Amino acid sequence: MPDEIAETDTTMTTPQDTPATLGRELRRITAPRTLALLVGVLVLQLGFILSYVGAFHAPRPQHIPISIAAGAQSAHLVEQINGIDGTPLRAHAAADETSARESVTSGDRSAALVMNPHSTTDTLYVASGGGAAVVTAVEQVVGQVESSQHRSATTVDLVPLQAHDARGLTGFYLVIGWIVGGYLVAAAIGVMSGGRVRNLAEAGGRILLVVPYSIVSGLAGALIVDQWLSALTGHFAALWGVGTLLVLSSAVITLFMDALVGTVGIGVTILIFVVLGNPSAGGPYQYDLLPAFWRTIGPFIPNGAGTTAVRDIVYFGGRGIGGPMLCLVAYILIGIIGTLAASAQIGDPRRDEPAAQ
């Protein structure tokens, strides 16, 4: 009998030794948690399509600010332009040609129309550095207005794009690169550290690790677009500073989401910076050409704040940069404070206890 038992024992198998079968694998991958993950990915994918196509499929000018200098006719022309269906332009009377030009070079207005009392050919001052798509839209609308009065306008670009900044998109892609680097490094740190942050000390360590990364990343991005490619030149230090803030903002927000909800936080980060942030950033189409939803949220996401900041630094002497900088600093503070608070709330006491003597 003992021999029979022994023989039987040698043939027993554990669940780990059981050969995998298709049915067992299907049951594993259709577990509720796996299905929930797949649904979440699908929602992000469809959100990506909806957000990008929704923002870009039919760009239409809305309330683009322009100055009008037409002497005694200014009030009438302002009323006529503001009365166009859909209000593609928002006209403001200027005292004279000098003030009209200044409103464009300062970035306060996207364009300025100056009427010539001695000719039927007027001058349309624009700033392509503020967005090539906006310039095209203004030219089209002003052209129609001028044609209705049997007049024409010659376009003069007061703030032209730098020689190697094709269609003014360099800043937008630079910002995307910085932001992607920020949330990727935070995600990578999480993976290398064993997943979700587990205590306050670990959260502090991760935050301290992304700070030098952000500085180096900001420096490298500025070197590429300025020193290497000469795409955006003459503002190296300012671009480095903006890049550092952008990388840090996306990194600490990713750390915060990870500490708050774990792996799902990566999806939340993608939703903020990719699904919503990129199409609303004012890159290919500036705010005045985007639908209301994207135009509204754009300035309040680092993508849009960063794109505006880079554009203002390079082309408008840094005027109006206060708002974008405030947005980036706010994200950094929210990310750092949120990460520390969330990690303190969910911390594993066993990891903080001193070793038993």
Side-chain angles (χ1 to χ4, degrees):
M1 178 66 71
D3 293 339
E4 292 177 0
I5 294 176
E7 183 178 350
T8 301
D9 289 343
T10 60
T11 60
M12 291 177 64
T13 58
T14 64
Q16 291 80 3
D17 298 327
T18 303
T21 65
L22 178 58
R24 184 176 292 106
E25 184 64 17
L26 287 176
R27 286 193 297 273
R28 186 182 68 81
I29 65 176
T30 56
R33 182 176 180 180
T34 304
L35 291 178
L37 178 62
L38 294 178
V39 170
V41 172
L42 178 61
V43 169
L44 276 180
Q45 174 188 339
L46 297 180
F48 182 97
I49 296 172
L50 175 61
S51 188
Y52 279 71
V53 176
F56 298 151
H57 78 290
R60 182 171 61 88
Q62 301 170 77
H63 304 283
I64 298 176
I66 71 169
S67 294
I68 301 295
Q73 302 182 53
S74 291
H76 172 71
L77 188 54
V78 166
E79 183 178 358
Q80 179 185 2
I81 290 176
N82 289 340
I84 298 174
D85 289 343
T87 322
L89 306 180
R90 176 61 66 187
H92 305 265
D96 51 34
E97 181 174 357
T98 300
S99 59
R101 288 171 56 98
E102 172 62 23
S103 70
V104 176
T105 56
S106 67
D108 291 336
R109 304 282 187 265
S110 296
L113 177 62
V114 177
M115 295 193 71
N116 186 343
H118 308 294
S119 170
T120 58
T121 301
D122 303 321
T123 303
L124 177 64
Y125 293 107
V126 299
S128 59
V134 166
V135 170
T136 300
V138 170
E139 287 177 328
Q140 291 175 346
V141 176
V142 169
Q144 294 172 3
V145 173
E146 291 280 272
S147 178
S148 69
Q149 299 182 5
H150 306 289
R151 302 179 67 85
S152 61
T154 300
T155 300
V156 176
D157 194 349
L158 297 178
V159 188
L161 293 170
Q162 292 196 7
H164 301 291
D165 182 16
R167 297 192 60 78
L169 293 177
T170 299
F172 171 63
Y173 291 120
L174 175 62
V175 167
I176 290 178
W178 274 327
I179 287 179
V180 168
Y183 66 71
L184 284 182
V185 72
I189 290 172
V191 172
M192 291 186 297
S193 301
R196 188 177 183 180
V197 65
R198 285 155 289 192
N199 54 57
L200 191 59
E202 190 173 286
R206 295 188 186 189
I207 292 171
L208 291 177
L209 188 57
V210 300
V211 170
Y213 177 90
S214 299
I215 295 173
V216 173
S217 179
L219 171 63
L223 284 171
I224 289 172
V225 299
D226 187 340
Q227 305 298 315
W228 188 6
L229 299 179
S230 299
L232 298 176
T233 60
H235 307 275
F236 176 79
L239 290 179
W240 180 5
V242 171
T244 298
L245 294 180
L246 278 166
V247 178
L248 186 58
S249 66
S250 63
V252 295
I253 287 294
T254 304
L255 293 178
F256 175 29
M257 291 296 104
D258 174 70
L260 192 64
V261 292
T263 304
V264 176
I266 302 298
V268 176
T269 304
I270 292 174
L271 174 65
I272 296 172
F273 295 115
V274 179
V275 176
L276 297 177
N278 285 347
S280 66
Y285 296 106
Q286 289 71 58
Y287 293 146
D288 296 325
L289 299 173
L290 296 176
F293 173 75
W294 290 268
R295 185 173 67 250
T296 301
I297 68 173
F300 300 102
I301 302 178
N303 309 52
T307 300
T308 299
V310 170
R311 188 175 286 145
D312 285 346
I313 288 170
V314 175
Y315 291 110
F316 299 103
R319 297 184 181 93
I321 199 175
M325 291 296 97
L326 181 61
C327 175
L328 297 182
V329 171
Y331 268 77
I332 291 171
L333 292 177
I334 291 171
I336 292 175
I337 295 172
T339 300
L340 296 175
S343 62
Q345 188 69 23
I346 66 172
D348 181 358
R350 292 172 299 177
R351 293 180 60 86
D352 295 324
E353 292 176 354
Q357 300 297 323

